[in-house]
Amino acid sequence: MTTTTRPADASGRFAIGGDLTVNRLGYGAMQLTGKGVWGEPRDPEEAVRVLRRAVELGVNFIDTADSYGPFVSEMLIKKALHPYPDDLVIATKAGLTRSGPDDWRPVGRPEYLRQQVELSLRHLGVERIDLLQLHRVDPMVPLADQVGELAALQREGKIRHIGLSEVGVEELERAGETATIVSVQNLYNLAARDADPVLARCEANGLAFIPWFPLATGELAREGGPLDALAKRHDATPSQLALAWLLRRSPVMLPIPGTSSVAHLEENVAAATLELSDEEFAALTDAV
């Protein structure tokens, strides 16, 4: 693993929607809130330092959501980084409501999605959201109505690109009948690969695939396990190897590890400089 002042530059580049070029290793801002993703963080000043340090390290893709806090994450991003660097892409999400810590409920009524997009514009301090992702598909509302409202906001100039979160191939295809979809954000990591069919569809169509919960390693990281042994060989951590595996796994992969600590952030971003051999990548792939 090499050392550099902007390690995220080593993660490779991807153009979201064909026109928003970012470094592939980004930052997920969910952990910049209180316990249960609810309320203010324990250390608001550290949260601001994390965001500013991420940009210094070359991170130019930040993922957040209106429901993180709610709104706390978006407002911290504005406080830390506004006016934003020209190359910074901020993605946010709408479609999950909050009634308390660790409580998440999908609401995809068009009027609700419109309200939340308007609030995110205000909280982020922007006139147009780079990437707005439907946080969850509401089973009580036709998918065409949910995506259609985002497409209407896109035509009004309030959204640049539209993405989806936690969908299967069939939902991705149906959503594509209503609007141009440029990204999918699904649970995916070294130990959980149920979304492989969706990843394959993203690769085939040039869509960004944004894995959430990217650092889960489970039993793979146990002492003497495949991640532990390889981490010692590279003088790295199991989490860094898990991120390096994701970056190697697909050219459309945009991992967004999150943290509320500057030290942990620096460790995560350094993973972009870690190079796995073909044999090491295959060994990790086959370990699950």
Side-chain angles (χ1 to χ4, degrees):
M1 189 160 57
T2 59
T3 302
T4 174
T5 58
R6 286 175 52 95
D9 290 342
S11 64
R13 308 273 278 170
F14 183 83
I16 302 171
D19 62 357
L20 291 176
T21 301
V22 297
N23 287 331
R24 289 172 53 217
L25 186 63
Y27 172 75
M30 185 176 76
Q31 295 186 36
L32 296 183
T33 61
K35 187 177 180 181
V37 200
W38 185 259
E40 298 290 332
R42 180 183 54 81
D43 188 346
E45 294 309 309
E46 178 73 352
V48 169
R49 286 191 290 268
V50 165
L51 288 161
R52 291 175 177 167
R53 183 63 177 143
V55 172
E56 290 174 353
L57 294 171
V59 171
N60 55 11
F61 177 60
I62 295 177
D63 176 87
T64 185
D66 66 335
S67 55
Y68 297 166
F71 300 122
V72 170
S73 176
E74 291 181 334
M75 290 189 286
L76 280 169
I77 290 170
K78 180 182 178 183
K79 178 181 179 181
L81 300 174
H82 195 277
Y84 302 115
D86 291 341
D87 67 340
L88 181 63
V89 172
I90 299 174
T92 192
K93 298 181 284 292
L96 279 178
T97 62
R98 306 298 306 283
S99 60
D102 292 317
D103 187 73
W104 309 80
R105 307 183 188 202
V107 175
R109 295 193 306 273
E111 64 273 20
Y112 176 75
L113 294 176
R114 176 171 289 271
Q115 169 188 281
Q116 297 308 103
V117 169
E118 293 286 0
L119 288 171
S120 288
L121 287 166
R122 185 189 311 170
H123 292 143
L124 288 168
V126 295
E127 295 183 358
R128 181 174 65 173
I129 293 168
D130 291 330
L131 174 61
L132 193 288
Q133 301 162 94
L134 182 63
H135 208 160
R136 289 294 186 277
V137 174
D138 184 345
M140 305 301 293
V141 179
L143 180 58
D145 291 352
Q146 299 174 65
V147 177
E149 190 64 22
L150 300 183
L153 287 159
Q154 186 180 46
R155 290 191 295 272
E156 294 166 22
K158 296 174 180 178
I159 294 173
R160 185 166 184 167
H161 290 301
I162 298 170
L164 303 171
S165 180
E166 277 309 305
V167 295
V169 171
E170 189 267 340
E171 287 174 316
L172 175 58
E173 290 181 344
R174 284 198 290 125
E177 296 171 0
T178 302
T180 298
I181 305 301
V182 305
S183 68
V184 174
Q185 184 166 343
N186 278 16
L187 171 65
Y188 193 87
N189 54 58
L190 183 58
R193 304 180 214 163
D194 291 346
D196 268 331
V198 179
L199 173 57
R201 188 58 56 95
C202 288
E203 289 176 332
N205 292 287
L207 311 185
F209 185 90
I210 307 166
W212 64 270
F213 202 30
L215 293 180
T217 54
E219 285 296 305
L220 296 176
R222 71 186 184 281
E223 186 172 356
L227 270 177
D228 178 60
L230 192 55
K232 290 175 180 175
R233 190 184 313 165
H234 280 274
D235 192 23
T237 67
S239 291
Q240 287 174 325
L241 281 178
L243 289 171
W245 181 87
L246 283 170
L247 289 169
R248 175 74 183 270
R249 171 66 181 81
S250 171
V252 307
M253 189 83 73
L254 275 61
I256 48 166
T259 178
S260 59
S261 156
V262 169
H264 191 206
L265 168 77
E266 292 174 343
E267 177 184 295
N268 287 341
V269 180
T273 68
L274 201 162
E275 296 183 13
L276 298 176
S277 69
D278 293 344
E279 294 76 15
E280 290 169 339
F281 175 77
L284 289 177
T285 301
D286 295 340
V288 177

